[in-house]
């Protein structure tokens, strides 16, 4: 009997993974498929209404705020939060404003639809880890060759992300702070963040 129960549980888990993977029609065989499925399984991501995830699309502020806030506060029902912006990601912005991660009034409804830079992704991620999750600030040596123009505060938060092994940069030794992220790249970052 015990063997049957264990077999049934394994089958249910395997089928639920297949169902989630199948719900995104555009991730099969993609290098980030594993991370996307993991985030879908934990309700951090839900994809687009047409059943796609669009892993190669560039990430927007609104999309990122939803991912990082949901990953940082997995047990919160965000539908009950204030959404005075009228944007679908407004409740997640409110959370970040309430934790003093985003200065109130600096991100408008229009800006939520614009592309977010890599350095801003790391800044928000590290501050969420410290201010929302309550983890101690950590530090690491930064070997990136292209970070001379970022602020000292951004470097401090980048050190935290590197120390927690959420960020590791490009194989060429660059971070590309003003560059944009694809949705596939952020899936890997957020999946790693949820494991820490």
């Amino acid at each position: 009997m015990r063997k049957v129960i264990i077999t049934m549980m394994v089958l249910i888990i395997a089928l639920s993974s297949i169902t989630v993977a199948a719900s995104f029609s555009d991730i099969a065989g993609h290098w980030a498929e594993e991370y996307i499925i993991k985030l879908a399984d934990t309700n951090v991501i839900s994809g687009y209404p047409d059943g796609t995830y669009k892993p190669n699309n560039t990430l927007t502020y609104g999309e990122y705020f939803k991912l990082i806030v949901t990953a940082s506060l997995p047990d919160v029902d965000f539908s009950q939060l204030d959404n005075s912006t009228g944007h679908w990601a407004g409740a997640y912005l409110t959370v970040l404003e309430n934790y003093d991660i985003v200065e109130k009034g600096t991100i408008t409804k229009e800006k939520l639809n614009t592309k977010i830079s890599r350095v801003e992704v790391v800044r928000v991620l590290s501050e969420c880890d410290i201010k929302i999750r309550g983890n101690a600030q950590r530090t690491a040596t930064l070997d990136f060759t292209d970070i001379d123009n970022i602020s000292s505060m951004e470097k401090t938060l980048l050190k935290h992300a590197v120390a927690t092994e959420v960020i590791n940069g490009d194989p060429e030794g660059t971070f590309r702070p003003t560059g944009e992220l694809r949705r596939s790249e952020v899936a890997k970052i957020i999946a790693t963040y949820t494991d820490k």
Side-chain angles (χ1 to χ4, degrees), residues 4-171:
V4 171
I5 292 172
I6 291 171
T7 303
M8 292 289 288
M9 288 176 63
V10 168
L11 183 59
I12 289 168
I13 291 168
L15 287 175
S16 67
S17 294
I18 290 167
T19 303
V20 170
S23 69
F24 297 123
S25 60
D26 59 346
I27 65 168
H30 194 283
W31 70 264
E33 180 180 8
E34 165 192 351
Y35 304 112
I36 295 165
I37 291 170
K38 177 183 178 179
L39 295 177
D41 284 347
T42 55
N43 296 315
V44 173
I45 62 168
S46 54
Y48 289 96
D50 66 357
T52 62
Y53 178 71
K54 302 186 190 323
N56 297 320
N57 277 15
T58 307
L59 186 70
T60 66
Y61 275 88
E63 291 167 335
Y64 182 61
F65 288 173
K66 182 212 185 269
L67 292 171
I68 192 62
V69 170
T70 306
S72 300
L73 295 164
D75 299 322
V76 173
D77 178 4
F78 297 101
S79 67
Q80 303 303 311
L81 296 178
D82 173 46
N83 183 3
S84 57
T85 66
H87 189 279
W88 67 265
Y92 308 104
L93 171 60
T94 299
V95 170
L96 294 174
E97 289 175 340
N98 289 342
Y99 277 95
D100 292 322
I101 294 168
V102 171
E103 186 179 341
K104 201 168 269 229
T106 59
I107 304 289
T108 63
K109 178 180 179 180
E110 293 74 27
K111 188 161 185 173
L112 286 169
N113 292 323
T114 63
K115 309 303 183 210
I116 187 169
S117 70
R118 295 167 67 90
V119 72
E120 185 67 357
V121 164
V122 168
R123 184 193 69 75
V124 171
L125 179 140
S126 292
E127 289 208 44
C128 284
D129 193 40
I130 296 163
K131 293 179 178 179
I132 296 178
R133 295 167 96 192
N135 289 320
Q137 186 168 331
R138 295 175 61 186
T139 191
T141 302
L142 297 179
D143 297 323
F144 302 119
T145 59
D146 61 347
I147 58 170
D148 291 342
N149 293 328
I150 68 173
S151 71
S152 59
M153 180 268 296
E154 290 167 335
K155 284 181 184 169
T156 298
L157 294 171
L158 179 56
K159 287 178 182 180
H160 178 81
V162 169
T164 56
E165 300 177 346
V166 175
I167 300 292
N168 56 17
D170 295 329

